[in-house]
Amino acid sequence: MKNFALIGAAGYIAPRHMKAIKETGNNLVAALDKNDSVGIIDSFFPEADFFTEYERFDRHIDLLKRQGTQIDYVSIASPNYLHDSHIRFALRNNAHAICEKPLVLNPHNIEALQCVQDETGKQVYNILQLRLHQSIIELKAFVESEVAKNPNKVFDVDLTYLTSRGHWYFTSWKGDDAKSGGIATNIGVHFYDMLGWVFGDLVKNEAHLKQADANAGYLEFKHAKVRWFLSVNYDYIPEEVKAAGQRTYRSITVDGKEVEFSGGFTDLHTKSYEHILSGQGFGLQEARKSIEIVSQIRKQDTIINVSDSHPFIKKV
């Protein structure tokens, strides 16, 4: 049994980390969040100590260590802009870090974390759960088989992800680009990681739309041309999806054929933890490509490119 600490216990994704720690047979010793709406902890680890102040949490972890209770892993589900600091906290307390996406906001943060990782001998792991989704694994195998027959094969891909959010979203840290990185970084980074994992190295990156509630653009990989559209605006969801009472729409088409991956998401954090605990987790270098992509999207100006634009741009 390994001992875990959790930074960011009150957020949307925190229960998946608690569930994963529980289902892999491990123990949550302590948790931190400035917000105290964390009653969900009782469903998993009612004996875990909880702190709302970083300084008290830091002191507690140090005291545990001096008393002989080593924290083996620190799980990080805090706001995106704090990931870098919280990963450093984990490594410097002789613990491995398991961090939510995006691992960091900028590529240079990866270089700095690599130095701390080398100094401490502890590892940084990123939750890149789509790499463990069975449909995506099958897609990767299919792409590799087609490329083996034709090394110059380039697929046409459309990625559409609409996940409706209310007014609270833009009041929270998620609506602050300096803290979340914006829509593409906050809700798109694991899709970009998946695309690079399946289709190879990035060739071109264009931003076609950058608004607070929607981003769109064009990515070209070695074996794919990708039109993408991401939004948190309910208005852009297709009418037939709204009629079914749904507020989320995910779609990936490859050469016009839909890739079914809507199910199986709830167990992917547990699979990720199993993967990490078996010594196969995705580290700093695996995260690099997607961080480079979102960093480029944030920094570049939008361009109008009708031929390669995602059709949902017309909705905006």
Side-chain angles (χ1 to χ4, degrees):
M1 180 181 288
K2 302 294 185 183
N3 289 324
F4 280 74
L6 172 63
I7 300 178
Y12 166 78
I13 207 68
R16 295 193 189 179
H17 287 269
M18 297 178 200
K19 179 172 180 281
I21 294 168
K22 187 78 170 181
E23 291 183 344
T24 53
N26 297 294
N27 187 37
L28 180 65
V29 175
L32 167 70
D33 203 297
K34 70 176 185 177
N35 300 302
D36 59 10
S37 297
V38 293
I40 187 66
I41 294 177
D42 286 349
S43 300
F44 300 99
F45 300 100
E47 298 302 316
D49 291 307
F50 174 70
F51 301 86
T52 58
E53 298 175 10
Y54 179 84
E55 293 78 9
R56 291 174 183 252
F57 175 75
D58 180 25
R59 185 171 62 193
H60 182 70
I61 297 300
D62 183 65
L63 180 61
L64 288 175
K65 182 169 57 177
R66 295 179 188 281
Q67 292 176 341
T69 301
Q70 175 61 43
I71 301 299
D72 301 294
Y73 292 85
V74 176
S75 298
I76 298 162
S78 52
N80 300 346
Y81 73 108
L82 297 175
H83 287 177
D84 180 71
S85 175
H86 292 158
I87 290 170
R88 291 166 183 270
F89 170 86
L91 300 183
R92 287 172 176 160
N93 277 280
N94 201 34
H96 302 297
I98 300 177
C99 188
E100 265 301 329
K101 57 78 185 170
L103 184 70
V104 289
L105 292 180
N106 301 292
H108 66 260
N109 297 133
I110 294 179
E111 305 294 344
L113 287 176
Q114 183 68 55
C115 293
V116 182
Q117 183 174 264
D118 292 344
E119 290 169 359
T120 61
K122 295 300 177 178
Q123 298 297 307
V124 180
Y125 299 107
N126 199 191
I127 298 292
L128 301 175
Q129 68 267 42
L130 286 182
R131 296 193 186 200
L132 301 178
H133 195 294
Q134 188 57 40
S135 294
I136 304 303
I137 292 171
E138 292 171 1
L139 173 62
K140 181 175 173 63
F142 168 73
V143 168
E144 289 175 347
S145 67
E146 292 297 300
V147 170
K149 292 183 284 187
N150 177 11
N152 297 318
K153 172 67 176 176
V154 177
F155 296 87
D156 288 318
V157 178
D158 276 3
L159 165 66
T160 313
Y161 181 45
L162 311 176
T163 178
S164 304
R165 296 290 186 267
H167 296 302
W168 68 267
Y169 185 92
F170 300 100
T171 304
S172 76
W173 64 267
K174 295 182 180 184
D176 184 342
D177 284 6
K179 294 180 176 180
S180 70
I183 293 291
T185 302
N186 198 43
I187 71 171
V189 67
H190 55 307
F191 288 109
Y192 304 134
D193 170 74
M194 176 271 291
L195 290 167
W197 185 59
V198 171
F199 295 108
D201 292 336
L202 184 69
V203 177
K204 182 186 289 188
N205 184 346
E206 295 177 352
H208 295 168
L209 174 72
K210 289 201 289 186
Q211 294 187 356
D213 63 354
N215 280 191
Y218 172 78
L219 293 169
E220 190 171 319
F221 296 90
K222 183 176 181 181
H223 296 294
K225 296 179 178 180
V226 183
R227 303 185 301 180
W228 60 270
F229 183 92
L230 308 170
S231 180
V232 294
N233 191 328
Y234 177 74
D235 292 342
Y236 303 147
I237 289 181
E239 292 302 322
E240 63 273 16
V241 177
K242 293 179 183 177
Q246 298 178 23
R247 295 181 58 84
T248 298
Y249 175 72
R250 299 185 186 95
S251 174
I252 296 178
T253 61
V254 178
D255 285 351
K257 184 178 180 181
E258 188 77 29
V259 177
E260 177 51 52
F261 74 114
S262 57
F265 275 82
T266 56
D267 297 325
L268 290 180
H269 274 72
T270 296
K271 286 186 178 180
S272 296
Y273 272 64
E274 292 170 345
H275 198 241
I276 290 166
L277 290 164
S278 67
Q280 305 177 73
F282 303 119
L284 290 172
Q285 299 314 315
E286 283 88 351
R288 179 184 297 276
K289 186 181 294 184
S290 61
I291 301 303
E292 289 175 345
I293 289 173
V294 295
S295 177
Q296 290 170 12
I297 291 171
R298 287 198 306 272
K299 293 175 181 178
Q300 64 182 290
D301 295 328
T302 57
I303 63 170
I304 303 300
N305 188 338
V306 177
S307 63
D308 291 326
S309 292
H310 192 287
F312 272 45
I313 288 181
K314 296 176 182 177
K315 291 175 175 280
V316 180

